[in-house]
Amino acid sequence: MLRQRAAIYQTLLLAGVGAAGWYFIGNAVDNLTARRIASGFGFLGREAGFEIGETTLISFSAADSYFKALAVGLFNTFRVALLAVVAATAIGVAVGLARLSPNWLLAKLASAYVEVLRNVPLVVQLFFWYAVIGESLPAPAQALNPLPGFFLSNRGLALPTIVSLLPFQIETPMLSGFDFTGGVMLSPEFAALLLGLALYTAAFIGEIVRAGILAVDRGQYEAAQSQGLSQSQLMRLIILPQALRVVVPPVTSQYLNCTKNSSLAVAIGYPDLVSIANTTINQTGQAIEGIAVIMLVYLTISLAISALMNTYNRRIALRGARA
Amino acid sequence: MSRGQAMVQWTRTRLFSSWPSALATLAIVILAAKLLPALIDWAFLRAHWSAGDGAACRGADAGACWALVTAKYRFILFGTFPVDQHWRPAMVIATLLALYGVSGFHLLPAKKLCSLWLAALIAIGVLMWGGVLGLSYVENQRWGGLTLTLLLSTFGIALAFPLSILLALGRRSEMPIIRWSAIGYIELVRGVPLISVLFMASVLLPLFLPQGVSIDKLLRAQLAMILFAAAYLAEVVRGGLQAIPPQQEEAALALGLSYWQRVRYVTLPQALRVAIPPLVNTFIGFFKDTSLVVIIGLFDFLTTIKVSLTEPAWSGFGIEAYLFAALGYFAFCYPMSRYSQALERRSAHGAGLGALREN
């Protein structure tokens, strides 16, 4: 009786999903024929016809294919997400430790940081940093010069690059006309996105680090102190390794969030994968394929990261402990 | 110990307990002494609060230009809703705030609260659309501003919630097809960024509807946000269901209750109670996420501020505009986050990592 009912429910679900799918696909086929759009991924080989403002390692021109454009976008996503994750981890650990500091001012400052950053949408923060860079930094001619070879202006940050290792040669950016030539130029879009993502993610990581440290049993502190360990030894050898076990899973999911959040690049015009896929959709009308590419890429990243996390978790988990 | 001694003691232990601590205190004090006066000078003393066209803000020693906000406040609150009808969205905002208050402070029993919500949501629909009771009809392209942000988030969560319960139950179901469908849906949605779901709603959904049938942009975005929120809420509800001791379910089974009776009277009420703090946190995240509709061009709180900046009179005051936007979102999210923290402290269950906020 129960088994019969289960079979009926499941058949109904399958039939419902199937019917909806059939209906939607049928409509899509009709619509695509009416708009004369050929479905499929053939468009990827066609000439993109747009320039990408930001390319590193992969050179790109308007004559290149959509496929290459999307590859550049994916590379840009990884570039900003990777740097943001590294920076967010460093800032986040510092903030988490600061919140637990015996120093009242430091602890309050860190908790204010966390509360402000967590309670304001990331897009707003990105717009804000973009506005700060565009409106309060000087023009290239009056660029700030905090370190030799580094120039900060409303066109972005110009950095020296290493041109060759043997003999060691550095190319420093030079002001010519209205802009810098030579070196590497980090665009305002990239800088705003990196800054926004790193600071935002750091607020969440800070809370995780704090909770992780608090989760370590008091007895561990007392035992370590009675062994005569110093405060820094206590942290480094006893508390942090145990906190790490609790901290890793939620931090990994923050890394994942950070990667997904890098898609907000489209809001300030940094050419990441989503932004370029969006341009591609607008130009070719291949909406289904474009969105499929976005989703596929992010799902792959998600699954890869969670697989990595599970392996790592198994390795550091306590023997015989509950999952 | 006298008051003075206590203060000295406090300063010693909390500000100068060790060399590094003393250095940190000094560094913070010096930095504050340098930055705060300049900030106050810019944000208040030299600021312009009202100016017809922003010309005053462009003076040589002008500070912050808050005039942008005072000049555009109606647009930022109500979007392009007809001006003589602004009392309607204003009442909607007031109703929503009252609803949050009544729900948050447990002023009504659950059943009455549900009816109140239902009645209020209908009243809000009438106020916004009009077309009945002598109210003029206002198409939803003209809804906007803070009103739209509150509507998108409130209706989004209210409608995603029932769906999320079904998904959570589905994920724990013993029927393989139902379980795997629920898992597939939840993981698919949680694996992709919200923007891709919004793009789907704005460019893909029209393709999947028969020719000639169209749903307008606002409803499409709302639908996308409901489907998105449901996946995240489902995981929170599942967390609550998992926290209930299995004996509860077994006892209910022994009493001869059917599946839906067990869910309705035994497991779900307990699960939701446990899940309230993380549910509030999900709501905060969702409230912030509504700001992404700026990317598909809906006129929410953030978009109206951004659009105000494109007027020649106000261009170049992005820092002020986005500080104000940040303040606006903060004013809603911070109290909610304090609320959920208070709940966590009160309940014995909510402690530890399980209650941490996702983005």
Side-chain angles (χ1 to χ4, degrees), chain B:
Chain B
M1 208 168 16
S2 77
R3 230 186 118 93
Q5 275 174 319
M7 270 175 71
V8 170
Q9 178 74 17
W10 184 88
T11 316
R12 258 224 190 110
T13 53
R14 301 303 302 275
L15 296 178
F16 297 97
S17 59
S18 63
W19 272 109
S21 175
L23 278 181
T25 305
L26 273 181
I28 294 172
V29 169
I30 292 173
L31 215 64
K34 270 190 122 167
L35 292 180
L36 273 183
L39 193 66
I40 292 171
D41 187 45
W42 174 80
F44 300 104
L45 302 182
R46 287 185 292 124
H48 287 279
W49 298 87
S50 61
D53 52 1
C57 290
R58 299 188 192 277
D61 63 340
C65 186
W66 306 118
L68 156 77
V69 177
T70 40
K72 307 295 291 183
Y73 81 96
R74 274 177 182 265
F75 182 52
I76 292 170
L77 284 177
F78 310 125
T80 54
F81 213 86
V83 177
D84 58 325
Q85 300 290 316
H86 273 180
W87 62 274
R88 283 160 55 180
M91 270 185 70
V92 166
I93 293 179
T95 312
L96 286 170
L97 292 181
L99 271 180
Y100 301 155
V102 170
S103 321
F105 293 106
H106 307 289
L107 298 181
L108 283 178
K111 216 172 224 172
K112 278 196 182 150
L113 194 63
C114 275
S115 337
L116 182 72
W117 267 91
L118 205 64
L121 292 186
I122 292 170
I124 286 169
V126 171
L127 275 171
M128 290 307 290
W129 265 298
V132 287
L133 304 175
L135 294 172
S136 57
Y137 172 71
V138 180
E139 63 210 342
N140 56 20
Q141 275 92 332
R142 303 194 63 173
W143 303 6
L146 180 65
T147 321
L148 189 70
T149 293
L150 292 180
L151 285 176
L152 276 174
S153 46
T154 311
F155 276 81
I157 284 286
L159 297 174
F161 196 51
L163 185 60
S164 75
I165 291 175
L166 288 181
L167 282 169
L169 291 174
R171 193 165 183 169
R172 287 168 61 83
S173 163
E174 278 160 15
M175 298 180 252
I177 295 179
I178 291 194
R179 186 171 66 245
W180 283 106
S181 313
I183 293 178
Y185 177 82
I186 292 171
E187 294 305 327
L188 178 76
V189 172
R190 281 163 45 98
V192 299
L194 173 57
I195 294 199
S196 62
V197 183
L198 282 175
F199 278 159
M200 242 175 106
S202 69
V203 291
L204 225 51
L205 194 61
L207 272 182
F208 285 127
L209 293 174
Q211 284 172 29
V213 177
S214 68
I215 311 180
D216 75 85
K217 204 164 161 184
L218 175 62
L219 291 184
R220 291 204 306 261
Q222 179 75 82
L223 190 68
M225 303 214 65
I226 291 169
L227 294 177
F228 184 78
Y232 282 82
L233 285 175
E235 286 298 273
V236 177
V237 174
R238 185 170 74 109
L241 285 170
Q242 272 171 349
I244 298 169
Q247 290 84 348
Q248 292 283 335
E249 175 99 38
E250 287 158 17
L253 204 58
L255 284 172
L257 297 187
S258 74
Y259 176 77
W260 289 109
Q261 281 174 328
R262 293 199 302 274
V263 167
R264 171 134 170 45
Y265 297 111
V266 181
T267 50
L268 200 57
Q270 300 185 64
L272 292 184
R273 181 166 294 253
V274 180
I276 287 177
L279 279 175
V280 176
N281 287 338
T282 312
F283 182 71
I284 298 174
F286 186 64
F287 185 84
K288 290 192 295 171
D289 280 344
T290 57
S291 59
L292 294 199
V293 298
V294 71
I295 293 164
I296 56 167
L298 284 182
F299 278 74
D300 78 327
F301 182 62
L302 178 59
T303 317
T304 48
I305 291 173
K306 191 176 193 300
V307 167
S308 303
L309 277 175
T310 58
E311 286 179 20
W314 305 112
S315 73
F317 297 117
I319 295 177
E320 290 90 332
Y322 295 124
L323 274 179
F324 175 73
L327 191 72
Y329 283 103
F330 187 81
F332 281 92
C333 295
Y334 183 62
M336 283 194 279
S337 102
R338 290 312 295 243
Y339 175 75
S340 107
Q341 283 166 18
L343 285 179
E344 273 163 40
R345 271 196 295 274
R346 254 202 329 223
S347 79
H349 303 282
L353 280 171
L356 271 178
R357 271 169 64 179
E358 294 265 320
N359 277 357

